Amino acid sequence: MSVSFKRSIADVFRIQVVSNSDVRSPIITLGSTSFFHVRINNLYVVAVTKNNANAALVFEFCYRFINIAKSYFGKIDEESVKNNFVLIYELIDEINDFGYPQNSEIDTLKSYITTESVVSSAIAAEESSKITTQATGATSWRRSDVKYKKNEAFVDVVETVNLSMSAKGTVLRADVDGHIQMRAYLSGTPECKFGLNDKLVIDKTGERGIGDAVELDDCRFHQCVRLNDFDATRTISFIPPDGEFELMRYRSTSNVKLPLRVIPTVNEIGTSQVQYTVTVKANFNNKLSATNVVLRIPTPLNTTTVDCKVATGKAKYVPAENVVVWK
Amino acid sequence: MIDCNDRNPLIRALAIRTMSYIPIPVVTDTLTEPLRHCLKDRDPYVRKTAAICVVKLYTADPRRAEKGGFVEMLRDLMLDSNATVVANAVAALSEIGDRHDGVIFKLNLATANKLLTALGESSEWGQIYILDSLLRYVPERHADAELMAERIVVQLQHANSAVVLTTIKALLYLMNYMENRRLIDYCCKKMGPPLVTLLSSGPEVQYVALRNILLIIQRRPAVLKNDVKVFFCKYNDPIYVKLAKLEIMYRLARAENANEVLAELQEYASEVDVDFVRKAVRSIGRLAIKVELAADNCIQALLSLMETKVSYVVQEAVIVIKDIFRRYPGKYEGIIPTLCENLDLLDEPESKAAMIWILGQFSDRIDNADELLDDLLYTFLDESVEVQLALLTAAVKLFIYKSKSDTTKELVHKVLKWATEDVDNPDLRDRGFMYWRMLAVNPTVAGEIVLAEKPAITTDSDRMDRGALDQLLLHTGTLGSIYHKNPETFIRNAAGKALTDSPALNPHSRAALVSLPRPQLPPAAINVSGPGPSEPRTRETDTDVTPATTSAPPAPPSASAPKDADTTNSDHDDGDDDEPPHGADPYSNLDGAFGNYLQDEPRPMAAGKQGQRNGDLDDLLF
C-alpha cells in the first residue's frame, strides 16, 4: 500500500503468486517488500508495502475495496475492471491516501465520485463543502438530507450454524454465527435504538444462564453503533447508514439446536470404490418446513464417476468443485 | 497551484494531494507555502488531506519538512476539533516516528486522553491510527494505564477486525503497566471472544488473527484457555489457515482436552497435503511429550499411522518417537521392533539420524543391532553429515554395550577410521578422534560418558523468551507478528520497538526488558542485542539438529539463565499462572516445538535467492 513502484513490481507478483500453482500464504515478503493479496473471481487485489504494515488493516481494506467495487458496478471480475478503469483509479485515490485508508463509506463516496460529468463550479463549491463536512464528520456513513415519503426499516436475522461431527456421529463442536442485516429507508438523521431480549446473556459470568437463556459468546457491531452506550446500558443505539448494512454480528455456542441431522456412513469397497450413504433428518417441529436445502458432499480428488441414487430430490456430481450436490 | 486557492474544498485538497505525490525538489519547494495554508484551512477535508501530505513531504525530504515546521504543525493538528483530522495527523506522526531517521514521537497523558475522546467520533480507520498511537504513550502510574484500558476495551466489539486487533495490541501493551489483577483478568477475559470471532472473517484475516493468537496465548495463557475446539480445522480451510490452527491446537492442549486434540490430529494425519500431514504427525508426538496422560494414546496413534507405510508419515513418526523415548525413559521401548521393521522407508537425513540414535541407544535390547547398523554403514561415506554423526555415535554405543563381540569391534574400528581419515567435515573428524582416544585410554570410563543419563526432554522450550515475546506483541496485527520477527530484522529502515521503562512498569516485564540499539546504527538488518536471546528461537533453523546423538554436549549456561529468572517468580506473575515449572534443563532451549521442521513456516524470503529474476529486487524497488 505504498507509493510509486517501478512497473516490474507487478512482474514480481506475477511470478511469485499468479503463476505459482502452490501459493501457501496470502502474504509474501521478498527482501523488505511485502505483497498482500486477496483473490476474488480470478482477480487479485494486491497491496504492496515496504513497511511493517498492519496486516489486519490491509486485508480489511482489500475486503472493503471489493465491497465498494461491487456496489459501484455490480460485480467484480475482469470485464468490469476493464470497463471501469478510470473510476477505479478515482475511487482508490479517494479511499486511500498514501497507504492510509480514508473514508470508505459507500454512501458518502457515491455523493461525489460518480460516473457523470462534473457540474460547473459555482454551485459545486457549496455542494462540496457539504460533502467534505460529511466525509470527515462523526457520521461519515450518512448523508443528512435523505428524504423518504414512507419511512420504513427492515431487519433480517441470518444465522449460519457451523457443526463438526466426529466419524462416530458425536458432535464435536457446534456454533452459530449470526448477523443482523438491516435495510433502513428513513428520512433525516434518525436515532435508532435496538433492544435486546432479557433472555439474552452476553457476558458469561461462569454460572450457566437461567433455563432457556440464549447466551452470546461475543458480538460486534457496525461502526455506527455507539459502543460506549452498549457497554453501559446494553442498548444498541445508532444512526443508521442509508440502505442496507450489517448492524451486528454475533456468535453463540451454547444451546445450539441443530435444524437438521445428517447421518453419513462411508463404505470403502475394495481400493477403487467408496460408497456414501447420507441420511438427513429434520429436527424441528412438523408445522415448519425447510426450503432450499442443499447438500454438498465432497468427493475424493481423483473421482472418475459417481453413481447417485436418491429417494427424493436430485443429485448431481460437479467435477469442477469435487462435490456431489443434492437439491 | 491556482487550484490550491480554489473555492471548492475538494479541489483544494486534490491539488495538494496530487502535488505532494511528486517527490522532486522543484515541486516540494513550491508546495511548502500552500501546504502550510492548507494545514490551517477552515475545511476539515483539506486539513486531513494536508496532514498526510506532510508525510509525503517528509519522505521526499525529511530535513526540509523539519525546517518548515511541519512536524510542529502536525502536533497541533492532533488537538483539532475534527476527529478525522486528528486521526490523520496521528497516522502521519506515527509514520514519521517509525522512520529510523525520524523525530521521536511520544504522547503524554493529556494528549493521549484527547486522542481517546476523538476515538469515538472517528471512522474505523481513524480508530486504528489512534489506538496504534497509544503505544507511544508510556504510563507513569498504574492508574493511568488502567483507566485507559477501561476506555478502549469497548472497541473490542467493533466490526472491523483491524480495530479489534489493534485494540488488543493496545490492551496487551497497557497491561504491562497495570497493577490491578482483577482488571488484568477482566481484560484477558474480554479479549478471548473477539479473537474467536475473528475466525469467522475472510481466510486472510483469519490467518493474521491465528498467527497473532499464537503469540498472545504464549504471553497470556489465560486467554482462550478453554477454546481449543474452535481451532479445529474445517475441511475447506485454506492450507495456511490449517497449519496455523494446528500449531495453536498443540499449544492449547492440556491433560483435560488432550484426547479430543489427539483425535483431531489423527484425522489430519490422513489428509492429502504433505506438509500438513507431517506437521500433524509431529504434533501428535509433541503432544505425547507435553501431556503425560495422553502419551499412551499418542503412541498408539503413531504406531497405527506407521502401519500405513506412507514414507513421510513413518519418517515423521520415527523422529518424534525418538524424543518420546527420551521423555519417558524405560516406558515405551517395547515398540522398537516395529520401528526396526520400517527401516527401509527412511530416506531423509533427519528421520534416519533419529532411527540410528534409537538403534545405538538401545542396541543392548535389539538383538540384531549390529547387523542393522552394518547395513546402514554401507553407505556411510555418501550420507549427509547429520546421519554420519549419528552413525558414528551409534557405532560407539553399540561397541560399549557389546564389546565382547568381534563384529562390533570391527564395525566401530571401521567407522572411526572413516570418520577420521576419509571425511573432510571437521566436526565429524573431531568427534571421531575424541571417541577413539576415549576408547583407547579407558573403555569403561568412555562407556560411562557415552551412556550417561540424559536429561529428560521437556516442552517448555516451545515458549518464546519473555522479553522477545513482549517485544513482538508490540507489533500485534502487523507483518512482524505474522512472521514472528521483529520488523527491523527484515525490513529496511524500520526502527525497533521495545517496552519503555517507567515507574509503572511491572517488575516482571522489566526483568525481561529488551533494550534497543540506538537508531544511528547501520540501517542494514539490525539485531537487537539484549539480555535475552533476542531472536524468537523457534524460527531458527539452527544447529540443534542432533542434540540427542551427542553423548555429552556442552550445555550453554547462558541459554537457560533468563528462563530461570522467570521461574523463580512465576508464582505471582501476572497472567502467566499456569506456566509449567521448568528445571535448569540445558536442553530446554534446544528443541523447538517442531524441531527444525520449518518448511511450512511463513517467513520473509531473502531477496536474491528467489530465482534469476529477483536477484536485483532490492534495487528495483528503491
Side-chain angles (χ1 to χ4, degrees):
Chain A
M1 282 212 305
S2 201
V3 268
S4 59
F5 290 112
K6 286 186 190 166
R7 204 182 150 72
S8 40
I9 201 93
D11 287 337
V12 175
F13 182 76
R14 187 170 52 76
I15 293 162
Q16 291 296 327
V17 177
V18 182
S19 45
N20 183 353
S21 58
D22 188 31
V23 178
R24 303 186 76 94
S25 166
I27 304 176
I28 286 178
T29 302
L30 284 164
S32 50
T33 309
S34 305
F35 298 84
F36 299 75
H37 71 270
V38 174
R39 203 174 166 176
I40 174 160
N41 299 338
N42 266 331
L43 287 181
Y44 290 89
V45 179
V46 190
V48 187
T49 178
K50 283 204 293 183
N51 295 334
N52 183 31
N54 186 332
L57 178 138
V58 174
F59 284 129
E60 277 290 335
F61 180 75
C62 291
Y63 295 160
R64 184 65 51 88
F65 170 72
I66 292 170
N67 274 342
I68 293 175
K70 272 185 189 151
S71 116
Y72 261 89
F73 28 85
K75 55 182 181 168
I76 176 162
D77 57 14
E78 204 176 329
E79 203 193 323
S80 62
V81 170
K82 275 184 190 156
N83 292 341
N84 296 288
F85 221 72
V86 181
L87 183 61
I88 289 178
Y89 261 110
E90 213 178 317
L91 271 175
I92 294 183
D93 195 36
E94 187 53 42
I95 57 179
N96 189 336
D97 194 1
F98 203 55
Y100 293 99
Q102 301 292 317
N103 178 27
S104 58
E105 288 306 321
I106 296 164
D107 203 39
T108 319
L109 286 174
K110 280 191 172 162
S111 67
Y112 62 106
I113 298 191
T114 51
T115 36
E116 293 147 35
S117 57
V118 183
V119 265
S120 64
S121 60
I123 339 146
E126 201 161 302
E127 185 79 343
S128 25
S129 37
K130 219 190 255 170
I131 291 169
T132 55
T133 16
Q134 205 218 322
T136 55
T139 51
S140 61
W141 51 86
R142 188 180 179 89
R143 273 186 300 223
S144 52
D145 54 351
V146 191
K147 280 215 174 61
Y148 287 102
K149 266 189 196 152
K150 205 184 194 181
N151 282 311
E152 39 184 16
F154 304 92
V155 178
D156 291 324
V157 180
V158 184
E159 292 199 333
T160 319
V161 181
N162 295 316
L163 169 79
S164 62
M165 211 156 67
S166 74
K168 293 177 199 83
T170 48
V171 175
L172 288 175
R173 81 174 241 245
D175 59 68
V176 176
D177 268 328
H179 52 270
I180 298 178
Q181 203 73 25
M182 189 163 168
R183 275 174 297 156
Y185 305 106
L186 304 167
S187 311
T189 43
E191 171 81 34
C192 299
K193 271 194 183 166
F194 201 82
L196 291 177
N197 199 317
D198 280 347
K199 280 184 182 170
L200 211 62
V201 185
I202 288 171
D203 265 329
K204 272 203 220 162
T205 36
E207 76 260 33
R208 291 268 115 185
I210 339 104
D212 55 349
V214 180
E215 286 177 14
L216 296 190
D217 286 16
D218 183 36
C219 47
R220 46 201 278 197
F221 299 100
H222 186 267
Q223 64 161 327
C224 66
V225 177
R226 293 191 192 92
L227 295 174
N228 283 314
D229 287 2
F230 177 75
D231 197 51
T233 59
R234 290 273 171 258
T235 49
I236 304 171
S237 61
F238 56 100
I239 297 172
D242 194 37
E244 187 168 346
F245 70 103
E246 185 185 285
L247 175 67
M248 165 185 183
R249 199 171 249 283
Y250 59 88
R251 196 165 50 78
S252 171
T253 45
S254 63
N255 272 331
V256 178
K257 290 196 187 93
L258 301 171
L260 297 169
R261 208 148 53 98
V262 181
I263 309 155
T265 41
V266 180
N267 259 333
E268 283 187 45
I269 308 167
T271 51
S272 59
Q273 215 180 352
V274 184
Q275 186 185 12
Y276 297 149
T277 316
V278 183
T279 321
V280 184
K281 277 187 184 158
N283 252 356
F284 43 78
N285 195 318
N286 54 13
K287 279 177 202 150
L288 300 168
S289 69
T291 50
N292 293 329
V293 179
V294 179
L295 286 188
R296 295 166 61 84
I297 305 160
T299 57
L301 289 177
N302 48 4
T303 307
T304 49
T305 51
V306 175
D307 177 26
C308 308
K309 290 195 185 84
V310 287
T312 48
K314 270 185 204 150
K316 209 172 90 186
Y317 173 53
V318 186
E321 294 165 63
N322 283 307
V323 284
V324 176
V325 179
W326 176 89
K327 280 181 187 172
Chain B
M1 274 308 286
I2 299 165
D3 286 339
C4 290
N5 297 315
D6 196 281
R7 277 184 54 217
N8 186 330
L10 277 178
I11 295 193
R12 285 205 297 277
L14 208 57
I16 50 163
R17 184 159 77 202
T18 313
M19 278 217 294
S20 58
Y21 269 128
I22 311 167
I24 48 172
V26 191
V27 183
T28 42
D29 247 356
T30 36
L31 180 67
T32 323
E33 253 338 283
L35 182 57
R36 193 164 295 150
H37 284 291
C38 286
L39 280 167
K40 290 186 179 139
D41 199 284
R42 71 195 138 73
D43 193 291
Y45 187 85
V46 181
R47 289 204 299 275
K48 71 128 187 164
T49 312
I52 299 286
C53 289
V54 175
V55 198
K56 296 180 207 164
L57 185 66
Y58 201 96
T59 320
D61 188 349
R63 300 293 90 82
R64 179 196 297 277
E66 275 167 25
K67 251 186 249 147
F70 285 114
V71 179
E72 286 77 15
M73 292 179 80
L74 274 185
R75 196 189 54 205
D76 297 340
L77 277 190
M78 277 207 305
L79 307 176
D80 198 280
S81 57
N82 184 296
T84 314
V85 179
V86 174
N88 272 6
V90 168
L93 279 171
S94 299
E95 171 146 352
I96 293 173
D98 273 344
R99 290 170 60 99
H100 67 103
D101 59 349
V103 290
I104 293 166
F105 173 35
K106 276 203 172 119
L107 293 176
N108 58 23
L109 183 61
T111 337
N113 278 332
K114 283 251 169 53
L115 290 181
L116 281 180
T117 325
L119 191 65
E121 286 178 11
S122 49
S123 75
E124 45 194 328
W125 311 114
Q127 295 190 351
I128 298 171
Y129 310 143
I130 293 178
L131 287 167
D132 201 41
S133 72
L134 289 183
L135 266 66
R136 295 171 189 275
Y137 161 67
V138 182
E140 291 291 323
R141 287 173 302 158
H142 297 306
D144 295 340
E146 285 159 11
L147 205 68
M148 193 168 285
E150 274 172 9
R151 286 181 73 175
I152 62 172
V153 86
V154 292
Q155 299 297 333
L156 288 173
Q157 235 110 56
H158 203 285
N160 186 320
S161 57
V163 176
V164 176
L165 266 179
T166 314
T167 310
I168 287 177
K169 165 157 73 175
L171 281 177
L172 286 168
Y173 167 75
L174 291 171
M175 275 178 183
N176 284 316
Y177 297 93
M178 286 197 231
E179 193 186 31
N180 185 341
R181 287 270 348 191
R182 283 216 358 249
L183 189 64
I184 292 177
D185 290 345
Y186 173 75
C187 288
C188 283
K189 218 174 96 200
K190 275 285 198 184
M191 252 185 249
L195 278 174
V196 176
T197 308
L198 291 182
L199 298 184
S200 46
S201 327
E204 291 84 8
V205 168
Q206 280 186 45
Y207 178 64
V208 176
L210 287 167
R211 293 296 293 175
N212 280 293
I213 288 171
L214 200 52
L215 288 176
I216 296 168
I217 55 175
Q218 287 181 69
R219 180 66 181 82
R220 305 274 171 192
V223 182
L224 298 175
K225 202 163 59 186
N226 301 316
D227 287 320
V228 71
K229 276 187 183 174
V230 300
F231 297 105
F232 288 177
C233 302
K234 295 184 190 150
Y235 80 99
N236 53 358
D237 278 338
I239 182 68
Y240 49 84
V241 169
K242 280 185 177 172
L243 287 168
K245 280 186 175 173
L246 197 57
E247 207 157 318
I248 295 176
M249 276 169 60
Y250 159 68
R251 299 228 181 237
L252 288 177
R254 286 172 301 151
E256 298 93 83
N257 56 22
N259 282 333
E260 277 170 3
V261 173
L262 178 63
E264 274 297 298
L265 291 174
Q266 268 181 291
E267 288 288 316
Y268 302 157
S270 53
E271 290 256 353
V272 269
D273 190 282
V274 177
D275 270 347
F276 185 56
V277 172
R278 281 174 167 252
K279 202 165 176 175
V281 176
R282 225 175 250 228
S283 304
I284 296 179
R286 303 299 304 181
L287 188 66
I289 295 169
K290 184 176 177 186
V291 184
E292 194 165 355
L293 286 171
D296 283 346
N297 292 339
C298 290
I299 290 279
Q300 281 313 318
L302 286 173
L303 286 178
S304 61
L305 283 172
M306 287 178 73
E307 276 165 25
T308 59
K309 303 272 180 205
V310 179
S311 165
Y312 55 84
V313 174
V314 175
Q315 308 210 36
E316 286 299 325
V318 169
I319 296 167
V320 282
I321 287 177
K322 179 201 82 180
D323 286 345
I324 296 175
F325 281 158
R326 289 204 45 201
R327 171 74 171 80
Y328 307 108
K331 217 172 155 191
Y332 296 111
E333 278 78 2
I335 64 171
I336 289 174
T338 330
L339 297 183
C340 293
E341 283 166 25
N342 291 305
L343 208 56
D344 299 339
L345 285 170
L346 311 176
D347 53 13
E348 285 164 26
E350 200 189 354
S351 60
K352 251 186 173 169
M355 188 63 215
I356 292 165
W357 182 84
I358 296 173
L359 271 182
Q361 187 66 27
F362 303 104
S363 48
D364 52 336
R365 302 173 202 214
I366 308 171
D367 296 335
N368 57 349
D370 44 354
E371 284 168 36
L372 292 172
L373 212 53
D374 199 32
D375 277 353
L376 286 165
L377 280 172
Y378 209 68
T379 48
F380 182 80
L381 292 172
D382 307 326
E383 297 289 357
S384 67
V385 179
E386 188 184 353
V387 180
Q388 286 176 334
L389 284 168
L391 277 170
L392 174 61
T393 310
V396 173
K397 284 178 183 164
L398 176 71
F399 172 71
I400 288 164
Y401 277 127
K402 302 186 177 169
S403 46
K404 299 283 174 313
S405 142
D406 280 339
T407 38
T408 55
K409 222 176 261 173
E410 207 175 287
L411 200 121
V412 77
H413 191 75
K414 189 165 68 181
V415 180
L416 285 174
K417 208 165 155 61
W418 272 334
T420 50
E421 286 172 14
D422 292 346
V423 177
D424 289 334
N425 185 297
D427 280 350
L428 193 61
R429 226 172 33 217
D430 280 1
R431 199 188 281 184
F433 278 126
M434 187 183 76
Y435 281 140
W436 205 329
R437 293 214 179 118
M438 268 195 321
L439 291 174
V441 175
N442 188 341
T444 342
V445 178
E448 274 166 36
I449 294 171
V450 175
L451 296 172
E453 199 161 303
K454 292 165 191 62
I457 283 185
T458 61
T459 51
D460 310 336
S461 55
D462 309 346
R463 289 167 156 257
M464 244 180 236
D465 172 71
R466 169 80 177 263
L469 201 54
D470 274 342
Q471 210 184 353
L472 269 183
L473 281 174
L474 297 178
H475 299 292
T476 305
T478 66
L479 262 185
S481 71
I482 308 266
Y483 295 124
H484 296 183
K485 262 180 182 304
N486 283 318
E488 63 270 24
T489 58
F490 67 102
I491 292 172
R492 206 169 14 176
N493 289 345
K497 274 188 195 166
L499 282 177
T500 316
D501 202 0
S502 98
L505 188 63
N506 70 46
H508 305 299
S509 304
R510 187 175 299 135
L513 209 60
V514 176
S515 63
L516 277 181
R518 288 322 309 151
Q520 289 84 301
L521 288 178
I526 297 172
N527 266 314
V528 180
S529 59
S534 51
E535 269 298 273
R537 248 202 52 269
T538 39
R539 211 88 352 220
E540 296 275 335
T541 324
D542 47 18
T543 48
D544 57 7
V545 194
T546 53
T549 48
T550 20
S551 33
S558 61
S560 56
K563 295 218 138 232
D564 291 348
D566 219 358
T567 327
T568 43
N569 40 24
S570 68
D571 288 354
H572 37 101
D573 201 359
D574 55 319
D576 284 357
D577 345 42
D578 59 1
E579 183 166 354
H582 33 76
D585 174 4
Y587 284 94
S588 68
N589 262 6
L590 288 176
D591 221 274
F594 294 94
N596 65 341
Y597 177 67
L598 293 164
Q599 281 100 307
D600 60 285
E601 284 296 332
R603 80 191 104 181
M605 296 182 253
K609 286 185 189 164
Q610 294 302 317
Q612 66 286 33
R613 303 243 14 202
N614 310 319
D616 53 345
L617 189 72
D618 260 339
D619 306 323
L620 152 169
L621 296 184
F622 210 68

